[in-house]
Amino acid sequence: MTTSSSERGVSLGMPELPAPAYPDDVRARLEADAREIIARYPDSRSALLPLLHLVQSEEGHVTRTGMQFCADVLKLTTAEVTAVATFYTMYRRRPSGDYQVGVCTNTLCAVMGGDAIFEQLQEHLGIGNGETTDDGKITLEHIECNAACDFAPVVMVNWEFFDNQTVQSAKRLVDDLRIGHTVSPTRGAPLCTFKETARILAGFPDERDGAVEASGSAGPASLVGLRLARGETAPARVVHPRDGGPHDEPQDRAVHEPSPAEHQSSHDAPQDTSASDPAHPAGPTAEEGE
């Protein structure tokens, strides 16, 4: 006596139907944008990454329809497109919020308070990693290094920087985003929605007033490394031993006392960080320099 697959608890399922097509007007608009993107590359398949951002800007995530569109215009298989879309975390595979809030939990941000920020935001918003609030405003995720360690802990919203965060400032940030208040990044261009960000990442100009002129830069500690790489001489800086013991100082070099603007790290300056939040200490309780 034989048993069927259903009786054995095995579900073979039905073949997946082809992805639905974009409406004619949407497809015509996307094809015009796609031609502009493809023209930038000597090999058309090199345009796949920006094309995935393009289709993500249409629906807020990369759908099967979007992947089929990319395959059609680049003459690739859907398997080739899917392999790329599922490899890079910047491509969302399911509906997500207007604002992607990423908390850096890599080493330095984590020990400076990133772990506490991420944990408290999950509780505050009532969602887990990669989940979206019911109002469709916020998708929360932990992310790896943002290359902004001298501003740790860092939170990013749609890839714009919010530096030197605390648990409370991060909560205020997401609350303001949900109620529609204007939120300005610490540096960089003004904040826009995730769909608008995706179109910019596809290589199209940001046409908002003042967006191009807005700029940000690395912190002082990062720029010191850049200057040294260029062979520039760093200013003399004599640091006395913490124990106050004897030491030798070069007699032909003046002692340079840095001004507040010359601090080598944002955490040398009197800025609020997670370390100043008594409810969520990020490290030793002693003040820095003691």
Side-chain angles (χ1 to χ4, degrees), residues 16-133:
E16 191 172 44
L17 296 174
Y22 283 124
D24 291 342
D25 59 329
V26 173
R27 185 176 181 90
R29 172 166 47 81
L30 291 177
E31 285 178 344
D33 289 338
R35 286 193 295 271
E36 183 176 339
I37 292 173
I38 294 170
R40 303 170 190 159
Y41 300 91
D43 185 345
S44 63
R45 69 180 299 150
S46 299
L48 178 54
L49 294 180
L51 279 178
L52 285 168
H53 283 299
L54 175 65
V55 297
Q56 184 160 254
S57 73
E58 186 66 31
E59 299 178 85
H61 66 294
V62 178
T63 63
R64 291 175 55 235
T65 299
M67 288 190 284
Q68 183 64 62
F69 172 83
C70 292
D72 291 344
V73 297
L74 295 176
K75 296 180 173 55
L76 299 174
T77 67
T78 53
E80 289 173 308
V81 175
T82 302
V84 174
T86 57
F87 181 81
Y88 293 103
T89 58
M90 290 180 74
Y91 301 123
R92 310 302 183 191
R93 294 299 311 285
R94 57 183 179 180
S96 55
D98 293 334
Y99 300 100
Q100 308 283 321
V101 176
V103 182
C104 182
T105 55
N106 214 325
T107 306
L108 184 57
C109 278
V111 300
M112 292 301 296
D115 282 347
I117 290 172
F118 183 61
E119 178 183 349
Q120 290 297 310
L121 284 184
Q122 289 184 92
E123 181 177 335
H124 184 65
L125 295 170
I127 56 177
N129 181 43
E131 296 179 351
T132 303
T133 54

Side-chain angles (χ1 to χ4, degrees), residues 172-241:
R172 288 194 300 272
L173 171 61
V174 296
D175 287 345
D176 286 344
L177 290 171
R178 296 185 76 179
I179 62 180
H181 283 178
T182 300
V183 173
S184 298
T186 308
R187 50 203 165 96
L191 197 63
C192 59
T193 67
F194 183 65
K195 288 183 178 180
E196 292 171 319
T197 301
R199 183 169 177 83
I200 295 169
L201 290 174
F204 292 96
D206 188 343
E207 298 177 349
R208 296 173 298 151
D209 291 339
V212 175
E213 291 77 15
S215 64
S217 67
S222 299
L223 295 178
V224 166
L226 178 61
R227 288 196 293 268
L228 290 175
R230 290 174 174 173
E232 300 174 11
T233 303
R237 186 177 185 186
V238 177
V239 179
H240 296 275

